């Protein structure tokens, strides 16, 4: 099955700085890579995703890059704000018609220091 | 759009009893729903995948007789934890997938405490 590794497990940055979280995956057939933000005791919220036919996607302060050859993808948050503080999970799946099983990384606790 | 609800949000039960958790997609039909378990400060672990009208597919190590899943309609899936034990205490989260192979939308989770 798919194995997703995520680093770092914790990350502290000063407000306004950038934050980068990296994930690797094992299944070369995986083709969908979402990122979720989870605040304490709440549901994971999809913040951005990328499919294997593109190498980069950006949405305002958030961007994701994908290197299929190396089987890794990264989340970049620029101009961080205190409200960005949360746990971030990457995931990978081999999407096809029907069920789309997500395999999650271990999470990164991001703290943005005002 | 794409709202998923879960009920109850919190439940405390005695050891040996059974607990049912409901997951509903409120504004879309979900061919597939997923059940996850999350321990404190840990990641989400997929327990099972349920498809409307068919048996659930369980991940390795998940006891299907203990965690009963019923996907009765395109908007409702239930997880029943049977003969609960303290080690079953956890945060259970469902997600629902609309038609199409990509996005999943998560419910708010149910915190189960078995005493």
């Amino acid at each position: 099955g798919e194995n997703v590794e995520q680093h770092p497990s914790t990350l502290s940055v000063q407000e306004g700085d950038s934050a980068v979280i990296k994930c690797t995956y094992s299944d070369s057939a995986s083709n969908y890579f979402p990122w979720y933000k989870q605040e304490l005791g709440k549901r994971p919220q999809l913040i951005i995703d990328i499919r294997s036919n593109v190498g980069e996607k950006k949405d305002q302060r958030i961007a994701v890059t994908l290197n299929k050859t190396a089987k890794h993808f990264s989340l970049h948050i620029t101009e961080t704000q205190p409200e960005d503080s949360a746990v971030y999970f990457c995931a990978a799946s081999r999407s096809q018609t029907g069920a789309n099983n997500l395999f999650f990384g271990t999470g990164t606790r991001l703290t943005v220091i005002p | 759009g794409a709202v998923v609800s879960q009920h109850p949000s919190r439940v405390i039960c005695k050891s040996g009893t059974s607990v049912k958790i409901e997951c509903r997609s409120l504004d879309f039909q979900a061919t597939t729903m997923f059940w996850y378990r999350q321990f404190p400060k840990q990641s989400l672990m997929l327990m099972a995948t349920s498809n409307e009208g068919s048996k659930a597919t369980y991940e390795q190590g998940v006891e299907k007789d203990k965690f009963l899943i019923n996907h009765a309609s395109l908007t409702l899936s239930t997880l029943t934890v049977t003969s609960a034990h303290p080690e079953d205490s956890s945060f259970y989260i469902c997600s629902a997938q609309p038609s199409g192979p990509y996005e999943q939308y998560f419910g708010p989770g149910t915190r189960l405490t078995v005493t």
Side-chain angles (χ1 to χ4, degrees):
Chain A
E2 175 66 276
N3 181 42
V4 179
E5 295 189 356
Q6 184 171 346
H7 300 280
S9 57
T10 60
L11 178 61
S12 292
V13 299
Q14 292 288 336
E15 182 177 359
D17 287 351
S18 295
V20 180
I21 303 170
K22 298 181 179 182
C23 288
T24 61
Y25 61 99
S26 61
D27 187 353
S28 57
S30 288
N31 60 3
Y32 175 62
F33 308 92
W35 286 88
Y36 288 88
K37 175 183 180 181
Q38 187 179 31
E39 298 178 19
L40 188 63
K42 296 189 177 180
R43 77 185 80 196
Q45 297 273 13
L46 178 69
I47 57 172
I48 196 167
D49 58 12
I50 192 167
R51 302 175 190 181
S52 60
N53 58 345
V54 298
E56 185 174 356
K57 183 177 178 180
K58 189 173 182 180
D59 182 4
Q60 298 183 348
R61 297 187 296 109
I62 296 173
V64 58
T65 58
L66 170 65
N67 183 328
K68 286 191 297 182
T69 303
K71 289 189 284 188
H72 67 69
F73 56 113
S74 300
L75 177 71
H76 304 252
I77 306 174
T78 58
E79 301 172 29
T80 54
Q81 301 167 3
E83 51 266 37
D84 294 330
S85 297
V87 178
Y88 291 81
F89 292 98
C90 64
S93 84
R94 184 193 300 185
S95 261
Q96 54 195 359
T97 302
N100 169 28
N101 291 10
L102 288 175
F103 295 90
F104 283 84
T106 49
T108 297
R109 183 171 299 278
L110 173 64
T111 302
V112 179
I113 303 166
Chain B
V3 179
V4 177
S5 70
Q6 253 181 271
H7 179 79
S9 57
R10 290 178 179 271
V11 58
I12 301 172
C13 71
K14 292 186 183 298
S15 187
T17 61
S18 295
V19 174
K20 180 185 284 189
I21 302 170
E22 292 186 350
C23 177
R24 293 181 185 272
S25 56
L26 298 185
D27 53 0
F28 65 96
Q29 292 186 330
T31 306
T32 306
M33 288 185 172
F34 304 85
W35 287 95
Y36 296 85
R37 184 173 181 175
Q38 187 176 34
F39 290 106
K41 298 186 179 181
Q42 293 191 24
S43 189
L44 290 85
M45 297 300 296
L46 179 65
M47 299 175 65
T49 303
S50 76
N51 291 289
E52 185 264 341
S54 62
K55 291 184 179 180
T57 302
Y58 290 80
E59 294 299 304
Q60 192 172 7
V62 178
E63 298 177 58
K64 62 181 180 180
D65 293 331
K66 180 168 183 64
F67 298 100
L68 300 179
I69 291 171
N70 182 26
H71 195 148
S73 74
L74 286 172
T75 59
L76 173 64
S77 177
T78 60
L79 168 68
T80 302
V81 183
T82 63
S83 188
H85 292 285
E87 55 264 33
D88 297 325
S89 299
S90 189
F91 194 50
Y92 291 88
I93 308 178
C94 71
S95 71
Q97 180 183 334
S99 60
Y102 295 110
E103 293 85 356
Q104 287 184 33
Y105 299 94
F106 284 84
T110 297
R111 185 161 302 284
L112 170 64
T113 303
V114 184
T115 61

